[in-house]
Amino acid sequence: MTHYIIIGAGSGIGAALARQLAAPGIGLLLHTGSNADRLAGVAEACEKAGATVSTCLGLTEDPTLIDKIAAWLDPLPPGALSGFAFAAGYAKLGTVETTDTAALHAALEAMPVAFQRLCTYIAPKLADHRGRILCVSAFGAHRSKTHSYAPTAPAKAALEAQVRVFAANLAPRGITVNAVVPGFISKDAGTHSSLTPEQWSEVTKTIPMARLGQAAEVAATAAFLLSEPAGYVTGQSLHVNGGLTL
Protein backbone atom coordinates (compact mmCIF):
# COMPACT_ATOMS: atom_id res chain seq x y z
CA MET A 1 0.00 0.00 0.00
CA THR A 2 1.16 3.53 -0.82
CA HIS A 3 0.77 6.09 1.97
CA TYR A 4 0.52 9.88 2.01
CA ILE A 5 0.26 12.52 4.72
CA ILE A 6 -1.66 15.69 3.87
CA ILE A 7 -1.49 18.57 6.33
CA GLY A 8 -4.36 21.01 5.80
CA ALA A 9 -6.79 18.59 4.15
CA GLY A 10 -10.01 19.96 5.62
CA SER A 11 -10.82 22.29 2.73
CA GLY A 12 -9.49 23.96 -0.39
CA ILE A 13 -6.40 22.61 -2.15
CA GLY A 14 -5.54 20.11 0.58
CA ALA A 15 -9.01 18.58 0.45
CA ALA A 16 -8.95 18.49 -3.36
CA LEU A 17 -5.54 16.80 -3.26
CA ALA A 18 -6.85 14.15 -0.87
CA ARG A 19 -9.72 13.40 -3.24
CA GLN A 20 -7.29 13.35 -6.17
CA LEU A 21 -5.03 10.77 -4.53
CA ALA A 22 -7.77 8.58 -3.07
CA ALA A 23 -7.97 5.15 -4.70
CA PRO A 24 -7.76 1.48 -3.76
CA GLY A 25 -4.31 0.67 -2.37
CA ILE A 26 -3.79 4.21 -1.05
CA GLY A 27 -3.49 5.01 2.65
CA LEU A 28 -4.07 8.61 3.73
CA LEU A 29 -3.47 10.51 6.95
CA LEU A 30 -5.56 13.66 6.63
CA HIS A 31 -5.11 16.62 8.98
CA THR A 32 -6.92 19.83 9.73
CA GLY A 33 -6.50 22.44 12.41
CA SER A 34 -9.86 22.24 14.16
CA ASN A 35 -12.78 21.65 11.77
CA ALA A 36 -13.46 17.98 12.45
CA ASP A 37 -16.81 17.98 10.62
CA ARG A 38 -15.37 19.29 7.38
CA LEU A 39 -12.43 16.86 7.55
CA ALA A 40 -14.83 13.99 8.17
CA GLY A 41 -16.59 14.82 4.92
CA VAL A 42 -13.32 14.76 3.00
CA ALA A 43 -12.35 11.47 4.64
CA GLU A 44 -15.70 9.92 3.72
CA ALA A 45 -15.29 10.92 0.07
CA CYS A 46 -11.78 9.42 0.01
CA GLU A 47 -12.99 6.18 1.57
CA LYS A 48 -15.76 5.92 -1.03
CA ALA A 49 -13.02 6.15 -3.67
CA GLY A 50 -11.34 3.12 -2.11
CA ALA A 51 -8.63 4.69 0.06
CA THR A 52 -7.86 3.72 3.65
CA VAL A 53 -8.14 6.93 5.68
CA SER A 54 -7.09 8.14 9.13
CA THR A 55 -7.51 11.69 10.42
CA CYS A 56 -5.94 13.95 13.02
CA LEU A 57 -6.53 17.48 14.32
CA GLY A 58 -4.13 20.05 15.69
CA LEU A 59 -2.67 23.47 14.99
CA THR A 60 0.40 23.29 12.79
CA GLU A 61 2.30 25.54 15.20
CA ASP A 62 1.75 23.04 18.03
CA PRO A 63 4.83 20.78 18.32
CA THR A 64 2.67 17.96 19.70
CA LEU A 65 1.11 17.52 16.25
CA ILE A 66 4.12 15.32 15.51
CA ASP A 67 2.98 12.89 18.21
CA LYS A 68 -0.35 12.43 16.42
CA ILE A 69 1.40 11.85 13.10
CA ALA A 70 3.82 9.41 14.73
CA ALA A 71 0.94 7.31 16.10
CA TRP A 72 -0.13 6.66 12.49
CA LEU A 73 3.26 6.60 10.79
CA ASP A 74 5.51 4.62 13.13
CA PRO A 75 3.65 1.29 12.77
CA LEU A 76 4.00 1.38 8.97
CA PRO A 77 6.68 -0.84 7.41
CA PRO A 78 9.90 0.82 6.16
CA GLY A 79 9.43 2.54 2.81
CA ALA A 80 5.63 2.62 3.04
CA LEU A 81 5.41 6.43 3.09
CA SER A 82 5.58 7.86 -0.41
CA GLY A 83 4.49 11.47 0.07
CA PHE A 84 4.07 14.35 2.47
CA ALA A 85 2.06 17.42 1.42
CA PHE A 86 1.90 20.60 3.50
CA ALA A 87 -1.19 22.49 2.35
CA ALA A 88 -1.90 24.33 5.59
CA GLY A 89 -1.81 28.10 5.88
CA TYR A 90 -3.91 31.20 5.51
CA ALA A 91 -4.10 34.47 3.64
CA LYS A 92 -4.11 37.58 5.79
CA LEU A 93 -4.22 41.05 4.31
CA GLY A 94 -1.97 43.70 5.81
CA THR A 95 0.40 46.54 5.03
CA VAL A 96 3.60 47.74 6.63
CA GLU A 97 1.50 50.18 8.66
CA THR A 98 -1.07 47.63 9.88
CA THR A 99 1.01 44.50 10.42
CA ASP A 100 2.76 44.12 13.75
CA THR A 101 5.47 41.62 14.59
CA ALA A 102 3.00 39.38 16.42
CA ALA A 103 1.07 38.79 13.19
CA LEU A 104 4.30 38.03 11.34
CA HIS A 105 5.48 35.63 14.04
CA ALA A 106 2.12 33.85 13.97
CA ALA A 107 2.32 33.34 10.19
CA LEU A 108 5.91 32.12 10.39
CA GLU A 109 5.10 29.66 13.18
CA ALA A 110 2.05 28.29 11.36
CA MET A 111 3.80 27.85 8.03
CA PRO A 112 7.61 27.65 7.57
CA VAL A 113 8.45 26.78 11.18
CA ALA A 114 5.79 24.06 11.17
CA PHE A 115 6.93 22.81 7.75
CA GLN A 116 10.53 22.60 8.98
CA ARG A 117 9.51 20.72 12.12
CA LEU A 118 7.37 18.23 10.21
CA CYS A 119 9.94 17.69 7.46
CA THR A 120 12.62 17.00 10.06
CA TYR A 121 10.49 14.19 11.44
CA ILE A 122 8.90 12.87 8.25
CA ALA A 123 11.78 13.01 5.73
CA PRO A 124 13.70 10.10 7.31
CA LYS A 125 10.54 8.00 7.03
CA LEU A 126 10.09 8.59 3.29
CA ALA A 127 10.95 5.87 0.83
CA ASP A 128 14.27 6.37 -0.94
CA HIS A 129 14.03 7.07 -4.69
CA ARG A 130 10.26 7.57 -4.66
CA GLY A 131 9.62 9.79 -1.65
CA ARG A 132 7.95 13.14 -2.38
CA ILE A 133 7.55 16.34 -0.35
CA LEU A 134 5.26 19.12 -1.49
CA CYS A 135 4.14 22.43 -0.02
CA VAL A 136 1.48 24.90 -1.13
CA SER A 137 2.79 28.44 -1.42
CA ALA A 138 0.89 31.50 -2.73
CA PHE A 139 1.24 34.13 -5.42
CA GLY A 140 1.63 36.76 -2.68
CA ALA A 141 5.19 35.53 -2.16
CA HIS A 142 5.95 36.91 -5.64
CA ARG A 143 3.41 39.63 -6.33
CA SER A 144 1.86 42.44 -4.27
CA LYS A 145 0.39 44.62 -7.00
CA THR A 146 -3.25 43.86 -6.24
CA HIS A 147 -3.43 43.19 -2.51
CA SER A 148 -0.80 43.31 0.20
CA TYR A 149 -0.40 40.22 2.37
CA ALA A 150 2.29 41.54 4.70
CA PRO A 151 1.94 38.77 7.32
CA THR A 152 1.44 35.87 4.91
CA ALA A 153 3.70 36.69 1.97
CA PRO A 154 6.99 36.42 3.89
CA ALA A 155 5.88 33.12 5.40
CA LYS A 156 5.04 31.68 1.98
CA ALA A 157 8.30 32.99 0.52
CA ALA A 158 10.15 31.20 3.31
CA LEU A 159 8.38 27.97 2.37
CA GLU A 160 9.72 28.25 -1.16
CA ALA A 161 13.24 28.90 0.11
CA GLN A 162 12.94 25.79 2.27
CA VAL A 163 11.84 23.81 -0.78
CA ARG A 164 15.10 24.66 -2.55
CA VAL A 165 17.25 23.88 0.49
CA PHE A 166 15.47 20.62 1.33
CA ALA A 167 15.53 19.53 -2.32
CA ALA A 168 19.32 19.83 -2.37
CA ASN A 169 19.59 18.03 0.97
CA LEU A 170 17.39 15.09 -0.03
CA ALA A 171 18.39 14.70 -3.69
CA PRO A 172 21.04 12.06 -2.89
CA ARG A 173 18.23 9.84 -1.56
CA GLY A 174 16.17 10.41 -4.70
CA ILE A 175 13.50 12.30 -2.71
CA THR A 176 11.97 15.32 -4.44
CA VAL A 177 10.79 18.55 -2.79
CA ASN A 178 8.62 21.03 -4.68
CA ALA A 179 6.01 23.76 -4.25
CA VAL A 180 2.85 24.67 -6.09
CA VAL A 181 2.09 28.38 -6.18
CA PRO A 182 -1.63 29.05 -6.69
CA GLY A 183 -3.03 32.29 -7.98
CA PHE A 184 -6.52 33.45 -7.02
CA ILE A 185 -8.42 30.24 -6.24
CA SER A 186 -12.16 29.96 -5.64
CA LYS A 187 -12.93 29.28 -1.97
CA ASP A 188 -15.01 26.38 -0.68
CA ALA A 189 -18.46 27.44 0.45
CA GLY A 190 -18.53 28.41 4.09
CA THR A 191 -14.77 28.83 4.49
CA HIS A 192 -12.86 31.95 5.44
CA SER A 193 -11.81 34.46 2.78
CA SER A 194 -9.57 37.47 3.16
CA LEU A 195 -11.42 39.24 0.32
CA THR A 196 -14.97 40.53 0.03
CA PRO A 197 -17.19 39.42 -2.90
CA GLU A 198 -16.57 42.81 -4.50
CA GLN A 199 -12.80 42.36 -4.20
CA TRP A 200 -13.03 38.88 -5.71
CA SER A 201 -14.85 40.40 -8.67
CA GLU A 202 -12.13 43.02 -9.09
CA VAL A 203 -9.20 40.63 -8.92
CA THR A 204 -10.81 38.37 -11.51
CA LYS A 205 -10.39 41.23 -13.98
CA THR A 206 -6.59 41.09 -13.46
CA ILE A 207 -6.34 37.42 -14.49
CA PRO A 208 -5.66 36.81 -18.21
CA MET A 209 -7.99 33.79 -18.19
CA ALA A 210 -10.66 36.06 -16.66
CA ARG A 211 -11.71 33.52 -14.05
CA LEU A 212 -10.72 32.21 -10.65
CA GLY A 213 -8.85 28.93 -10.46
CA GLN A 214 -10.37 25.83 -8.93
CA ALA A 215 -8.79 23.91 -6.07
CA ALA A 216 -8.94 20.73 -8.15
CA GLU A 217 -6.77 22.37 -10.83
CA VAL A 218 -4.03 23.10 -8.32
CA ALA A 219 -4.46 19.66 -6.77
CA ALA A 220 -3.90 18.00 -10.15
CA THR A 221 -0.52 19.71 -10.41
CA ALA A 222 0.29 18.79 -6.82
CA ALA A 223 -0.66 15.16 -7.45
CA PHE A 224 1.72 15.03 -10.41
CA LEU A 225 4.57 16.37 -8.26
CA LEU A 226 3.82 13.63 -5.73
CA SER A 227 3.80 10.94 -8.41
CA GLU A 228 6.53 8.53 -9.48
CA PRO A 229 6.85 10.08 -12.99
CA ALA A 230 7.86 13.39 -11.36
CA GLY A 231 11.05 11.85 -10.00
CA TYR A 232 13.38 14.27 -11.83
CA VAL A 233 11.51 17.43 -10.83
CA THR A 234 12.84 18.91 -7.60
CA GLY A 235 13.50 22.28 -5.99
CA GLN A 236 10.81 23.91 -8.15
CA SER A 237 7.96 26.32 -7.48
CA LEU A 238 5.30 25.66 -10.10
CA HIS A 239 2.77 28.44 -10.63
CA VAL A 240 -0.87 27.57 -11.27
CA ASN A 241 -2.49 30.96 -11.78
CA GLY A 242 -4.31 31.39 -15.08
CA GLY A 243 -1.55 33.64 -16.43
CA LEU A 244 -1.53 36.09 -13.52
CA THR A 245 1.32 38.50 -14.12
CA LEU A 246 4.11 37.91 -11.62
Side-chain angles (χ1 to χ4, degrees):
M1 180 175 282
T2 301
H3 294 83
Y4 297 94
I5 297 170
I6 305 177
I7 303 298
S11 63
I13 294 165
L17 177 59
R19 291 189 290 266
Q20 189 93 240
L21 295 174
I26 298 296
L28 297 172
L29 175 61
L30 305 181
H31 156 274
T32 193
S34 59
N35 196 330
D37 290 343
R38 189 173 287 275
L39 185 65
V42 177
E44 182 180 4
C46 292
E47 287 173 339
K48 286 181 178 178
T52 300
V53 183
S54 297
T55 61
C56 71
L57 276 69
L59 298 177
T60 55
E61 56 266 40
D62 184 351
T64 65
L65 177 59
I66 285 180
D67 298 330
K68 298 176 183 180
I69 294 171
W72 176 83
L73 180 56
D74 288 353
L76 297 182
L81 183 64
S82 289
F84 162 52
F86 186 87
Y90 56 85
K92 185 175 178 62
L93 287 170
T95 66
V96 67
E97 294 91 354
T98 62
T99 301
D100 57 19
T101 55
L104 178 58
H105 278 294
L108 293 172
E109 287 289 335
M111 289 177 263
V113 173
F115 183 57
Q116 174 101 28
R117 183 186 300 116
L118 293 170
C119 282
T120 299
Y121 172 71
I122 292 171
K125 314 285 186 179
L126 283 165
D128 288 349
H129 307 297
R130 58 184 177 82
R132 306 281 182 262
I133 295 175
L134 175 90
C135 75
V136 177
S137 181
F139 73 91
H142 301 262
R143 178 184 192 269
S144 295
K145 295 177 182 177
T146 306
H147 292 88
S148 180
Y149 294 89
T152 306
K156 291 293 192 179
L159 283 176
E160 293 188 46
Q162 287 172 313
V163 160
R164 294 187 289 273
V165 172
F166 297 169
N169 294 164
L170 295 171
R173 289 180 53 198
I175 292 172
T176 69
V177 189
N178 293 288
V180 289
V181 189
F184 288 104
I185 305 300
S186 181
K187 297 292 181 181
D188 292 352
T191 57
H192 168 75
S193 174
S194 61
L195 302 182
T196 66
E198 293 76 18
Q199 288 173 318
W200 278 110
S201 178
E202 286 301 311
V203 299
T204 302
K205 299 174 185 176
T206 72
I207 303 169
M209 284 193 173
R211 68 172 178 87
L212 301 177
Q214 300 299 312
E217 293 175 308
V218 184
T221 302
F224 166 71
L225 292 172
L226 289 170
S227 72
E228 190 170 347
Y232 204 56
V233 182
T234 195
Q236 304 303 308
S237 295
L238 185 54
H239 295 261
V240 185
N241 62 19
L244 190 70
T245 302
L246 299 174

PDB file of all heavy atoms in Angstrom, residues 80-110:
ATOM      1  N   ALA A  80       7.054   2.571   3.390  1.00  0.00           N
ATOM      2  CA  ALA A  80       5.629   2.618   3.044  1.00  0.00           C
ATOM      3  C   ALA A  80       5.138   4.030   2.770  1.00  0.00           C
ATOM      4  O   ALA A  80       4.124   4.218   2.107  1.00  0.00           O
ATOM      5  CB  ALA A  80       4.795   1.995   4.161  1.00  0.00           C
ATOM      6  N   LEU A  81       5.852   5.040   3.286  1.00  0.00           N
ATOM      7  CA  LEU A  81       5.414   6.426   3.091  1.00  0.00           C
ATOM      8  C   LEU A  81       6.008   6.982   1.807  1.00  0.00           C
ATOM      9  O   LEU A  81       7.231   7.085   1.656  1.00  0.00           O
ATOM     10  CB  LEU A  81       5.849   7.293   4.281  1.00  0.00           C
ATOM     11  CG  LEU A  81       5.377   8.744   4.229  1.00  0.00           C
ATOM     12  CD1 LEU A  81       3.855   8.830   4.302  1.00  0.00           C
ATOM     13  CD2 LEU A  81       6.016   9.577   5.346  1.00  0.00           C
ATOM     14  N   SER A  82       5.130   7.347   0.892  1.00  0.00           N
ATOM     15  CA  SER A  82       5.579   7.865  -0.405  1.00  0.00           C
ATOM     16  C   SER A  82       5.533   9.380  -0.497  1.00  0.00           C
ATOM     17  O   SER A  82       6.289   9.965  -1.271  1.00  0.00           O
ATOM     18  CB  SER A  82       4.728   7.278  -1.536  1.00  0.00           C
ATOM     19  OG  SER A  82       5.015   5.910  -1.711  1.00  0.00           O
ATOM     20  N   GLY A  83       4.620  10.032   0.251  1.00  0.00           N
ATOM     21  CA  GLY A  83       4.492  11.470   0.065  1.00  0.00           C
ATOM     22  C   GLY A  83       4.004  12.206   1.287  1.00  0.00           C
ATOM     23  O   GLY A  83       3.229  11.673   2.091  1.00  0.00           O
ATOM     24  N   PHE A  84       4.481  13.436   1.410  1.00  0.00           N
ATOM     25  CA  PHE A  84       4.066  14.349   2.468  1.00  0.00           C
ATOM     26  C   PHE A  84       3.735  15.680   1.816  1.00  0.00           C
ATOM     27  O   PHE A  84       4.571  16.282   1.141  1.00  0.00           O
ATOM     28  CB  PHE A  84       5.188  14.519   3.489  1.00  0.00           C
ATOM     29  CG  PHE A  84       5.054  15.738   4.376  1.00  0.00           C
ATOM     30  CD1 PHE A  84       3.874  15.991   5.064  1.00  0.00           C
ATOM     31  CD2 PHE A  84       6.109  16.638   4.521  1.00  0.00           C
ATOM     32  CE1 PHE A  84       3.744  17.115   5.880  1.00  0.00           C
ATOM     33  CE2 PHE A  84       5.993  17.754   5.330  1.00  0.00           C
ATOM     34  CZ  PHE A  84       4.806  17.996   6.002  1.00  0.00           C
ATOM     35  N   ALA A  85       2.493  16.137   1.985  1.00  0.00           N
ATOM     36  CA  ALA A  85       2.061  17.418   1.420  1.00  0.00           C
ATOM     37  C   ALA A  85       1.667  18.365   2.547  1.00  0.00           C
ATOM     38  O   ALA A  85       0.876  18.004   3.420  1.00  0.00           O
ATOM     39  CB  ALA A  85       0.880  17.211   0.476  1.00  0.00           C
ATOM     40  N   PHE A  86       2.206  19.565   2.502  1.00  0.00           N
ATOM     41  CA  PHE A  86       1.901  20.600   3.496  1.00  0.00           C
ATOM     42  C   PHE A  86       1.056  21.662   2.802  1.00  0.00           C
ATOM     43  O   PHE A  86       1.571  22.515   2.076  1.00  0.00           O
ATOM     44  CB  PHE A  86       3.192  21.210   4.040  1.00  0.00           C
ATOM     45  CG  PHE A  86       2.985  22.180   5.175  1.00  0.00           C
ATOM     46  CD1 PHE A  86       2.920  21.740   6.487  1.00  0.00           C
ATOM     47  CD2 PHE A  86       2.865  23.543   4.932  1.00  0.00           C
ATOM     48  CE1 PHE A  86       2.740  22.636   7.541  1.00  0.00           C
ATOM     49  CE2 PHE A  86       2.675  24.439   5.965  1.00  0.00           C
ATOM     50  CZ  PHE A  86       2.612  23.986   7.282  1.00  0.00           C
ATOM     51  N   ALA A  87      -0.258  21.565   2.998  1.00  0.00           N
ATOM     52  CA  ALA A  87      -1.188  22.492   2.346  1.00  0.00           C
ATOM     53  C   ALA A  87      -1.834  23.434   3.344  1.00  0.00           C
ATOM     54  O   ALA A  87      -2.796  24.128   3.008  1.00  0.00           O
ATOM     55  CB  ALA A  87      -2.254  21.707   1.591  1.00  0.00           C
ATOM     56  N   ALA A  88      -1.330  23.459   4.571  1.00  0.00           N
ATOM     57  CA  ALA A  88      -1.905  24.327   5.595  1.00  0.00           C
ATOM     58  C   ALA A  88      -1.430  25.761   5.412  1.00  0.00           C
ATOM     59  O   ALA A  88      -0.377  26.018   4.824  1.00  0.00           O
ATOM     60  CB  ALA A  88      -1.525  23.826   6.980  1.00  0.00           C
ATOM     61  N   GLY A  89      -2.194  26.691   5.950  1.00  0.00           N
ATOM     62  CA  GLY A  89      -1.812  28.096   5.877  1.00  0.00           C
ATOM     63  C   GLY A  89      -3.035  28.967   5.728  1.00  0.00           C
ATOM     64  O   GLY A  89      -4.163  28.481   5.699  1.00  0.00           O
ATOM     65  N   TYR A  90      -2.797  30.259   5.632  1.00  0.00           N
ATOM     66  CA  TYR A  90      -3.912  31.195   5.509  1.00  0.00           C
ATOM     67  C   TYR A  90      -3.430  32.461   4.825  1.00  0.00           C
ATOM     68  O   TYR A  90      -2.227  32.753   4.799  1.00  0.00           O
ATOM     69  CB  TYR A  90      -4.496  31.522   6.887  1.00  0.00           C
ATOM     70  CG  TYR A  90      -3.485  32.060   7.878  1.00  0.00           C
ATOM     71  CD1 TYR A  90      -3.163  33.414   7.930  1.00  0.00           C
ATOM     72  CD2 TYR A  90      -2.855  31.213   8.782  1.00  0.00           C
ATOM     73  CE1 TYR A  90      -2.241  33.908   8.834  1.00  0.00           C
ATOM     74  CE2 TYR A  90      -1.938  31.687   9.695  1.00  0.00           C
ATOM     75  CZ  TYR A  90      -1.635  33.048   9.729  1.00  0.00           C
ATOM     76  OH  TYR A  90      -0.714  33.520  10.627  1.00  0.00           O
ATOM     77  N   ALA A  91      -4.379  33.181   4.258  1.00  0.00           N
ATOM     78  CA  ALA A  91      -4.096  34.468   3.636  1.00  0.00           C
ATOM     79  C   ALA A  91      -4.593  35.573   4.561  1.00  0.00           C
ATOM     80  O   ALA A  91      -5.770  35.568   4.945  1.00  0.00           O
ATOM     81  CB  ALA A  91      -4.781  34.559   2.278  1.00  0.00           C
ATOM     82  N   LYS A  92      -3.723  36.487   4.904  1.00  0.00           N
ATOM     83  CA  LYS A  92      -4.107  37.584   5.794  1.00  0.00           C
ATOM     84  C   LYS A  92      -3.622  38.895   5.182  1.00  0.00           C
ATOM     85  O   LYS A  92      -2.423  39.101   4.993  1.00  0.00           O
ATOM     86  CB  LYS A  92      -3.496  37.387   7.182  1.00  0.00           C
ATOM     87  CG  LYS A  92      -3.950  38.426   8.208  1.00  0.00           C
ATOM     88  CD  LYS A  92      -3.408  38.088   9.583  1.00  0.00           C
ATOM     89  CE  LYS A  92      -3.804  39.134  10.617  1.00  0.00           C
ATOM     90  NZ  LYS A  92      -5.268  39.242  10.795  1.00  0.00           N
ATOM     91  N   LEU A  93      -4.572  39.755   4.870  1.00  0.00           N
ATOM     92  CA  LEU A  93      -4.219  41.050   4.309  1.00  0.00           C
ATOM     93  C   LEU A  93      -3.550  41.923   5.361  1.00  0.00           C
ATOM     94  O   LEU A  93      -3.856  41.846   6.551  1.00  0.00           O
ATOM     95  CB  LEU A  93      -5.466  41.763   3.781  1.00  0.00           C
ATOM     96  CG  LEU A  93      -6.072  41.221   2.484  1.00  0.00           C
ATOM     97  CD1 LEU A  93      -7.426  41.859   2.231  1.00  0.00           C
ATOM     98  CD2 LEU A  93      -5.146  41.455   1.308  1.00  0.00           C
ATOM     99  N   GLY A  94      -2.631  42.767   4.904  1.00  0.00           N
ATOM    100  CA  GLY A  94      -1.972  43.700   5.808  1.00  0.00           C
ATOM    101  C   GLY A  94      -0.941  44.511   5.060  1.00  0.00           C
ATOM    102  O   GLY A  94      -0.441  44.112   4.008  1.00  0.00           O
ATOM    103  N   THR A  95      -0.620  45.669   5.599  1.00  0.00           N
ATOM    104  CA  THR A  95       0.404  46.536   5.029  1.00  0.00           C
ATOM    105  C   THR A  95       1.493  46.744   6.072  1.00  0.00           C
ATOM    106  O   THR A  95       1.388  46.294   7.218  1.00  0.00           O
ATOM    107  CB  THR A  95      -0.184  47.905   4.643  1.00  0.00           C
ATOM    108  OG1 THR A  95      -0.591  48.570   5.851  1.00  0.00           O
ATOM    109  CG2 THR A  95      -1.388  47.753   3.720  1.00  0.00           C
ATOM    110  N   VAL A  96       2.531  47.465   5.683  1.00  0.00           N
ATOM    111  CA  VAL A  96       3.603  47.742   6.632  1.00  0.00           C
ATOM    112  C   VAL A  96       3.097  48.566   7.810  1.00  0.00           C
ATOM    113  O   VAL A  96       3.601  48.464   8.934  1.00  0.00           O
ATOM    114  CB  VAL A  96       4.788  48.455   5.925  1.00  0.00           C
ATOM    115  CG1 VAL A  96       4.396  49.854   5.459  1.00  0.00           C
ATOM    116  CG2 VAL A  96       6.011  48.517   6.833  1.00  0.00           C
ATOM    117  N   GLU A  97       2.047  49.361   7.580  1.00  0.00           N
ATOM    118  CA  GLU A  97       1.498  50.183   8.659  1.00  0.00           C
ATOM    119  C   GLU A  97       0.577  49.398   9.591  1.00  0.00           C
ATOM    120  O   GLU A  97       0.407  49.765  10.750  1.00  0.00           O
ATOM    121  CB  GLU A  97       0.716  51.381   8.094  1.00  0.00           C
ATOM    122  CG  GLU A  97       1.563  52.394   7.338  1.00  0.00           C
ATOM    123  CD  GLU A  97       1.637  52.073   5.854  1.00  0.00           C
ATOM    124  OE1 GLU A  97       1.128  50.997   5.440  1.00  0.00           O
ATOM    125  OE2 GLU A  97       2.215  52.895   5.104  1.00  0.00           O
ATOM    126  N   THR A  98      -0.043  48.322   9.082  1.00  0.00           N
ATOM    127  CA  THR A  98      -1.066  47.631   9.876  1.00  0.00           C
ATOM    128  C   THR A  98      -0.614  46.275  10.419  1.00  0.00           C
ATOM    129  O   THR A  98      -1.341  45.656  11.192  1.00  0.00           O
ATOM    130  CB  THR A  98      -2.339  47.408   9.043  1.00  0.00           C
ATOM    131  OG1 THR A  98      -2.036  46.566   7.921  1.00  0.00           O
ATOM    132  CG2 THR A  98      -2.906  48.730   8.556  1.00  0.00           C
ATOM    133  N   THR A  99       0.546  45.814  10.005  1.00  0.00           N
ATOM    134  CA  THR A  99       1.011  44.495  10.424  1.00  0.00           C
ATOM    135  C   THR A  99       2.066  44.623  11.505  1.00  0.00           C
ATOM    136  O   THR A  99       3.131  45.202  11.277  1.00  0.00           O
ATOM    137  CB  THR A  99       1.585  43.717   9.232  1.00  0.00           C
ATOM    138  OG1 THR A  99       0.568  43.577   8.239  1.00  0.00           O
ATOM    139  CG2 THR A  99       2.063  42.340   9.659  1.00  0.00           C
ATOM    140  N   ASP A 100       1.764  44.076  12.680  1.00  0.00           N
ATOM    141  CA  ASP A 100       2.759  44.123  13.750  1.00  0.00           C
ATOM    142  C   ASP A 100       3.573  42.826  13.752  1.00  0.00           C
ATOM    143  O   ASP A 100       3.295  41.880  13.020  1.00  0.00           O
ATOM    144  CB  ASP A 100       2.094  44.346  15.114  1.00  0.00           C
ATOM    145  CG  ASP A 100       1.065  43.293  15.458  1.00  0.00           C
ATOM    146  OD1 ASP A 100       1.095  42.202  14.847  1.00  0.00           O
ATOM    147  OD2 ASP A 100       0.229  43.555  16.344  1.00  0.00           O
ATOM    148  N   THR A 101       4.592  42.779  14.583  1.00  0.00           N
ATOM    149  CA  THR A 101       5.475  41.617  14.593  1.00  0.00           C
ATOM    150  C   THR A 101       4.757  40.368  15.100  1.00  0.00           C
ATOM    151  O   THR A 101       5.118  39.256  14.719  1.00  0.00           O
ATOM    152  CB  THR A 101       6.717  41.885  15.445  1.00  0.00           C
ATOM    153  OG1 THR A 101       6.317  42.277  16.759  1.00  0.00           O
ATOM    154  CG2 THR A 101       7.576  42.984  14.824  1.00  0.00           C
ATOM    155  N   ALA A 102       3.741  40.546  15.929  1.00  0.00           N
ATOM    156  CA  ALA A 102       3.002  39.383  16.422  1.00  0.00           C
ATOM    157  C   ALA A 102       2.318  38.656  15.277  1.00  0.00           C
ATOM    158  O   ALA A 102       2.305  37.411  15.223  1.00  0.00           O
ATOM    159  CB  ALA A 102       1.976  39.818  17.462  1.00  0.00           C
ATOM    160  N   ALA A 103       1.729  39.413  14.341  1.00  0.00           N
ATOM    161  CA  ALA A 103       1.074  38.793  13.186  1.00  0.00           C
ATOM    162  C   ALA A 103       2.082  38.066  12.304  1.00  0.00           C
ATOM    163  O   ALA A 103       1.805  36.978  11.777  1.00  0.00           O
ATOM    164  CB  ALA A 103       0.327  39.847  12.382  1.00  0.00           C
ATOM    165  N   LEU A 104       3.257  38.669  12.139  1.00  0.00           N
ATOM    166  CA  LEU A 104       4.297  38.026  11.336  1.00  0.00           C
ATOM    167  C   LEU A 104       4.789  36.748  12.016  1.00  0.00           C
ATOM    168  O   LEU A 104       4.925  35.701  11.371  1.00  0.00           O
ATOM    169  CB  LEU A 104       5.461  38.984  11.113  1.00  0.00           C
ATOM    170  CG  LEU A 104       6.648  38.418  10.329  1.00  0.00           C
ATOM    171  CD1 LEU A 104       6.221  37.934   8.953  1.00  0.00           C
ATOM    172  CD2 LEU A 104       7.759  39.463  10.215  1.00  0.00           C
ATOM    173  N   HIS A 105       5.036  36.822  13.309  1.00  0.00           N
ATOM    174  CA  HIS A 105       5.484  35.634  14.042  1.00  0.00           C
ATOM    175  C   HIS A 105       4.451  34.515  13.943  1.00  0.00           C
ATOM    176  O   HIS A 105       4.815  33.337  13.774  1.00  0.00           O
ATOM    177  CB  HIS A 105       5.743  35.978  15.509  1.00  0.00           C
ATOM    178  CG  HIS A 105       7.082  36.590  15.756  1.00  0.00           C
ATOM    179  ND1 HIS A 105       8.265  35.911  15.575  1.00  0.00           N
ATOM    180  CD2 HIS A 105       7.437  37.832  16.173  1.00  0.00           C
ATOM    181  CE1 HIS A 105       9.289  36.691  15.863  1.00  0.00           C
ATOM    182  NE2 HIS A 105       8.813  37.869  16.219  1.00  0.00           N
ATOM    183  N   ALA A 106       3.173  34.857  14.042  1.00  0.00           N
ATOM    184  CA  ALA A 106       2.120  33.849  13.966  1.00  0.00           C
ATOM    185  C   ALA A 106       2.135  33.149  12.611  1.00  0.00           C
ATOM    186  O   ALA A 106       2.001  31.917  12.528  1.00  0.00           O
ATOM    187  CB  ALA A 106       0.761  34.490  14.221  1.00  0.00           C
ATOM    188  N   ALA A 107       2.285  33.924  11.531  1.00  0.00           N
ATOM    189  CA  ALA A 107       2.324  33.341  10.191  1.00  0.00           C
ATOM    190  C   ALA A 107       3.557  32.462  10.010  1.00  0.00           C
ATOM    191  O   ALA A 107       3.483  31.374   9.408  1.00  0.00           O
ATOM    192  CB  ALA A 107       2.300  34.445   9.138  1.00  0.00           C
ATOM    193  N   LEU A 108       4.676  32.917  10.513  1.00  0.00           N
ATOM    194  CA  LEU A 108       5.909  32.124  10.391  1.00  0.00           C
ATOM    195  C   LEU A 108       5.798  30.814  11.176  1.00  0.00           C
ATOM    196  O   LEU A 108       6.210  29.755  10.694  1.00  0.00           O
ATOM    197  CB  LEU A 108       7.107  32.931  10.870  1.00  0.00           C
ATOM    198  CG  LEU A 108       7.480  34.146  10.016  1.00  0.00           C
ATOM    199  CD1 LEU A 108       8.563  34.977  10.707  1.00  0.00           C
ATOM    200  CD2 LEU A 108       7.955  33.723   8.625  1.00  0.00           C
ATOM    201  N   GLU A 109       5.239  30.871  12.368  1.00  0.00           N
ATOM    202  CA  GLU A 109       5.101  29.663  13.182  1.00  0.00           C
ATOM    203  C   GLU A 109       4.139  28.666  12.533  1.00  0.00           C
ATOM    204  O   GLU A 109       4.372  27.450  12.569  1.00  0.00           O
ATOM    205  CB  GLU A 109       4.591  30.026  14.585  1.00  0.00           C
ATOM    206  CG  GLU A 109       5.622  30.703  15.459  1.00  0.00           C
ATOM    207  CD  GLU A 109       6.733  29.761  15.919  1.00  0.00           C
ATOM    208  OE1 GLU A 109       6.490  28.533  15.980  1.00  0.00           O
ATOM    209  OE2 GLU A 109       7.839  30.240  16.195  1.00  0.00           O
ATOM    210  N   ALA A 110       3.061  29.167  11.942  1.00  0.00           N
ATOM    211  CA  ALA A 110       2.047  28.292  11.365  1.00  0.00           C
ATOM    212  C   ALA A 110       2.475  27.678  10.045  1.00  0.00           C
ATOM    213  O   ALA A 110       1.949  26.621   9.653  1.00  0.00           O
ATOM    214  CB  ALA A 110       0.745  29.063  11.164  1.00  0.00           C
TER     215      ALA A 110
END
